[in-house]
Amino acid sequence: MVISRGKAPTAQETFLQMAQAAGLRGRVLVTLGLLILVRLGIYIPIPGIDRFAFNERLQSSNLGGVIGFLDIFSGGGLSALGIFALGILPFINASIIIQLLTAALPSLEDLQKNEGEAGRRKISQITRYLALGWSLLQGVVISLWVNEVAVNPGFGFMFQCTLAIVAGSMFVMWLGELITERGLGNGASLLIFVNIVATLPRALGQTIELAQSGDRTMVGGIVILGLVFLVTIVGIVFVQEGTRRIPIVSAKRQVGRRLYAEKSSYLPLRLNQGGVMPIIFASAILILPASLAQFAQSEFLVRFASYLRPDSSAPWVYVIVYLVMIIFFSYFYSSLVVNPIDMSQNLKRMGASIPGIRPGKATSEYISRVLNRLTFLGAIFLGLVAIIPTAVEGATRVRTFQGLGATSLLILVGVAIDTAKQVQTYVISQRYEGMVKQ
């Protein structure tokens, strides 16, 4: 069986290659083993906590939305309060902060753009230190929160709890980097992916029990919700893979006595530059008033936060605020990822140009206009994906998939696509290596 040049392997060829090639099989086993280890660590409890009292406080607390949102990324670690309670969250937060600071601080921007591999290693090290500080801060906050339900409350318990949480978070971060180096896919993304998938069996079980209750209205609601999820997944795949190809032409050039003709290519601009980040930012800010109201005991914040919920008395307020914030963060994140001026300068250095557009300022303005239109379309799509499943859940009264929202679907689809592409790349490269050796 020979794969022709440029042809992607089929699913059957991919699985056969994974079973036969020792290198690829080893990477798959390393990835699965480390992911299982992370899941087991979530259920190793932090010692010294009265679990019954903690569960009662968790159910009576107004922080249910905050805990539920963070549990998406920790795989239920916060509600279970194990040693991996924070999971990969501190590293994700640190990475986002570094991305924002890179656009604001010239020194970090210089490290990323001009220092090559050494600069990227320095940025990775800074991200690790920031993740350590962030996990320490979150660990202290969690220890203060659960101190009242500790068996022996006090400074000793808080120190022990914080130490366990920070150590667990750093260990998970190390495992994520190990998956990236010796396994398949991006380690941090796969950890979030597995944590989300881990919540599916419980949601499916609750949905089956609801369907078996005999209520035809609920059965119809479950069918409608399932169809909405399927359509949403198809839409996510379409938009995540969607690109606008701007044609570019390379000028004729002479190397020695040989004259190379013009070459036509294209500049790909993704429809959704920010991925899931705009929804994460918008969701985090929407739950911020509720968490502040819980800690500050402010009636004004409680009343204000009540309007920023999909089940509030005025859901249109939630919809408008959510859409505006998603659009804002889509443009903000797009400006961090793509710089039209840098693109224009790079095209000019390579002797390439966009047909009908003059090099320099005109090119950067053209790219900026196209990028703004794409970002607006992508932001509207993200807003629809974020709101429609929640609206359907409210209309059908099927709440079993409440944790599986737009953010979860985008992460699941995006990570699955990226990991599948990497597996196919390994398959193709090993096939070509085998053909060369023969």
Side-chain angles (χ1 to χ4, degrees):
M1 180 173 60
V2 179
I3 301 175
S4 61
R5 184 176 297 274
K7 180 182 177 181
T10 63
Q12 182 181 2
E13 293 169 341
T14 301
F15 283 115
L16 286 175
Q17 184 68 21
M18 290 171 64
Q20 295 172 0
L24 185 56
R25 186 171 64 248
R27 285 182 173 272
V28 172
L29 293 177
V30 166
T31 303
L32 292 177
L34 294 179
L35 291 177
I36 292 173
L37 178 61
V38 172
R39 289 301 307 167
L40 291 176
I42 290 176
Y43 300 101
I44 301 177
I46 295 176
I49 298 176
D50 185 342
R51 292 287 159 175
F52 180 76
F54 171 73
N55 291 331
E56 281 191 342
R57 183 174 185 186
L58 190 64
Q59 293 175 1
S60 62
S61 172
N62 292 329
L63 289 175
V66 180
I67 299 297
F69 176 74
L70 296 178
D71 266 349
I72 293 175
F73 305 101
S74 62
L78 279 174
S79 56
L81 207 63
I83 60 173
F84 290 172
L86 294 179
I88 200 67
L89 270 176
F91 180 75
I92 296 296
N93 293 333
S95 301
I96 294 173
I97 293 172
I98 288 297
Q99 288 179 3
L100 298 177
L101 291 178
T102 300
L105 298 178
S107 57
L108 288 178
E109 187 177 7
D110 182 68
L111 278 177
Q112 187 180 52
K113 291 184 177 180
N114 302 325
E115 296 295 330
E117 184 61 29
R120 285 189 287 271
R121 283 199 299 267
K122 289 180 181 178
I123 291 179
S124 298
Q125 191 66 16
I126 294 172
T127 306
R128 296 188 190 103
Y129 285 128
L130 186 58
L132 174 61
W134 193 261
S135 65
L136 182 62
L137 176 62
Q138 290 180 310
V140 171
V141 172
I142 292 175
S143 65
L144 286 171
W145 183 50
V146 300
N147 186 48
E148 296 180 7
V149 295
V151 177
N152 296 310
F155 178 79
F157 165 77
M158 291 171 55
F159 176 79
Q160 176 183 337
C161 179
T162 302
L163 183 62
I165 290 174
V166 172
S169 176
M170 292 299 99
F171 185 68
V172 172
M173 181 182 71
W174 177 69
L175 291 180
E177 293 183 349
L178 204 61
I179 291 174
T180 303
E181 293 177 4
R182 302 184 182 181
L184 285 174
N186 181 277
S189 300
L190 281 174
L191 288 175
I192 297 176
F193 178 90
V194 170
N195 288 337
I196 295 173
V197 171
T199 63
L200 291 179
R202 182 177 59 183
L204 288 173
Q206 293 175 350
T207 306
I208 292 174
E209 291 180 2
L210 192 62
Q212 291 175 345
S213 64
D215 189 341
R216 294 184 179 181
T217 304
M218 284 296 177
V219 174
I222 292 172
V223 173
I224 293 174
L225 186 60
L227 292 176
V228 169
F229 276 150
L230 288 177
V231 172
T232 303
I233 291 173
V234 172
I236 290 173
V237 174
F238 177 76
V239 175
Q240 288 290 92
E241 294 295 292
T243 57
R244 166 72 185 275
R245 298 183 176 183
I246 300 177
I248 57 175
V249 178
S250 300
K252 294 181 180 180
R253 58 192 180 95
Q254 185 172 357
V255 180
R257 295 183 178 180
R258 300 187 64 180
L259 181 65
Y260 290 88
E262 290 184 352
K263 289 185 178 180
S264 298
S265 184
Y266 62 88
L267 180 67
L269 292 178
R270 293 181 60 188
L271 181 60
N272 182 20
Q273 295 287 348
V276 72
M277 288 304 172
I279 290 184
I280 292 178
F281 286 165
S283 301
I285 290 183
L286 281 178
I287 65 173
L288 186 60
S291 58
L292 291 177
Q294 173 69 18
F295 288 110
Q297 300 295 325
S298 171
E299 293 184 5
F300 172 77
L301 285 176
V302 170
R303 185 176 301 175
F304 177 73
S306 65
Y307 286 101
L308 301 180
R309 296 172 59 89
D311 55 351
S312 66
S313 58
W316 57 271
V317 176
Y318 165 80
V319 170
I320 292 176
V321 173
Y322 203 11
L323 278 175
V324 170
M325 294 181 66
I326 288 175
I327 292 174
F328 169 77
F329 283 115
S330 294
Y331 276 98
F332 176 75
Y333 204 85
S334 178
S335 66
L336 296 179
V337 175
V338 181
N339 190 329
I341 297 178
D342 289 346
M343 281 189 172
S344 174
Q345 293 175 351
N346 291 334
L347 289 175
K348 193 172 182 179
R349 292 193 197 102
M350 294 186 301
S353 62
I354 300 174
I357 306 296
R358 297 179 62 181
K361 185 178 180 181
T363 298
S364 63
E365 290 177 349
Y366 175 78
I367 294 175
S368 181
R369 287 196 302 270
V370 174
L371 186 62
N372 286 336
R373 295 169 186 168
L374 290 175
T375 303
F376 180 76
L377 292 175
I380 294 299
F381 161 76
L382 287 179
L384 293 176
V385 168
I387 291 171
I388 289 178
T390 304
V392 173
E393 285 179 355
T396 58
R397 294 181 291 118
V398 179
R399 303 288 185 180
T400 53
F401 285 98
Q402 196 165 6
L404 188 68
T407 306
S408 303
L409 287 177
L410 279 169
I411 292 174
L412 289 176
V413 175
V415 174
I417 291 174
D418 292 341
T419 306
K421 287 181 178 179
Q422 187 169 349
V423 171
Q424 288 186 347
T425 301
Y426 277 117
V427 170
I428 293 174
S429 63
Q430 293 201 7
R431 283 294 184 185
Y432 284 148
E433 287 178 5
M435 292 169 60
V436 171
K437 290 180 182 178
Q438 293 176 359

